Amino acid sequence: MVMTSPDHRYSMRFTPESGYTSAWWHLTSEPFGAEPYWYAAVGELVPAEVLAAVTDALVNPPPAAQPDPWQTLDAAGWARDDSGAARSTDGMCTIEHRPVSELHDTPEWHIETHETKFHELGGRRIWHAHFHQNVPAHLVNAFVTALTDTAPLQRGMHEPTAHYRAVQEPSPLSPQQVVDAHTDRLKAITARVRAARRRQTKPAPAPVHTRTAQPAARR
């Protein structure tokens, strides 16, 4: 499945693959003016709300000043280790900005979530994400902001995509409230996409030609 943005500058591809090491979602851009090519890849079990935060940020106008994802992580209380990577308070998620090395041709943001074991942090990987060095910082920050949000996610009881470590509690929201919130979000996104489309198709105003008035001829 492939989805493209209204101006065809971005595309999102869904390619289900087996195994925990494969990426299911691929988001790419096309070079446009001074904007370079970039890509992002996300694994299977990433929460939909986290991925949606990135696609929503693509629809919205970019901020005047690019944010710093590290500040978002610091504000959320994620600890930094000696290598500079940030780790969640439960130790299950690690975020690092990998520099150029023998293993990495370009710097990139790398996010991984792992199961924890007794006296050990390196359990089986749950999902991962990569952001190419050219990905705008506000898109990475949208991902990080949603990832560090402590608000509970709305899921059906015993949802098969939920990890067994997730704590499930009855929601104070009714099913209709959850549906209405999702519908309102989609309507808002649709309105922004249509507005962007109208701006692209609106014809430019015709140039106004001015002419210096000539003095009237005398008899």
Side-chain angles (χ1 to χ4, degrees):
M1 178 179 66
V2 177
M3 298 176 288
T4 57
S5 62
D7 56 6
H8 301 287
R9 290 168 56 191
Y10 311 105
S11 64
M12 189 170 187
R13 187 173 74 256
F14 174 61
T15 52
E17 302 173 4
S18 61
Y20 284 83
T21 60
S22 302
W24 278 44
W25 296 96
H26 301 265
L27 183 63
T28 60
S29 74
E30 294 294 334
F32 182 81
E35 298 181 13
Y37 164 82
W38 56 259
Y39 71 88
V42 184
E44 172 189 1
L45 294 180
V46 61
E49 292 84 353
V50 177
L51 186 58
V54 178
T55 56
D56 287 359
L58 279 175
V59 177
N60 292 321
Q66 288 290 320
D68 182 1
W70 289 120
Q71 293 182 357
T72 301
L73 292 167
D74 292 340
W78 286 39
R80 304 268 197 103
D81 60 21
D82 294 338
S83 66
R87 191 180 300 277
S88 60
T89 54
D90 61 6
M92 294 183 66
C93 185
T94 303
I95 298 179
E96 57 182 331
H97 195 213
R98 292 176 170 174
V100 175
S101 67
E102 295 180 357
L103 299 177
H104 309 99
D105 296 331
T106 59
E108 63 176 15
W109 288 93
H110 183 75
I111 301 98
E112 283 195 5
T113 58
H114 286 264
E115 295 180 350
T116 57
K117 296 180 179 180
F118 187 66
H119 293 314
E120 184 180 353
L121 295 176
R124 186 179 65 164
R125 184 161 71 178
I126 303 172
W127 61 262
H128 68 290
H130 295 277
F131 290 91
H132 182 264
Q133 64 167 344
N134 291 334
V135 174
H138 73 281
L139 300 183
V140 179
N141 194 64
F143 187 96
V144 169
T145 300
L147 181 62
T148 57
D149 188 354
T150 57
L153 304 179
Q154 301 298 323
R155 295 289 189 273
M157 190 64 72
H158 308 300
E159 172 67 36
T161 59
H163 192 262
Y164 72 89
R165 284 285 304 274
V167 177
Q168 299 192 12
E169 298 178 353
S171 173
L173 303 177
S174 68
Q176 188 59 48
Q177 287 176 312
V178 176
V179 172
D180 290 344
H182 182 63
T183 302
D184 291 343
R185 172 179 165 270
L186 293 180
K187 287 181 179 178
I189 293 173
T190 301
R192 289 196 293 268
V193 170
R194 288 176 177 173
R197 216 177 257 141
R198 285 194 297 269
R199 288 193 298 268
Q200 293 169 2
T201 58
K202 184 178 180 180
V208 178
H209 298 283
T210 59
R211 185 176 59 183
T212 304
Q214 298 296 326
R218 295 183 178 180
R219 291 183 180 274

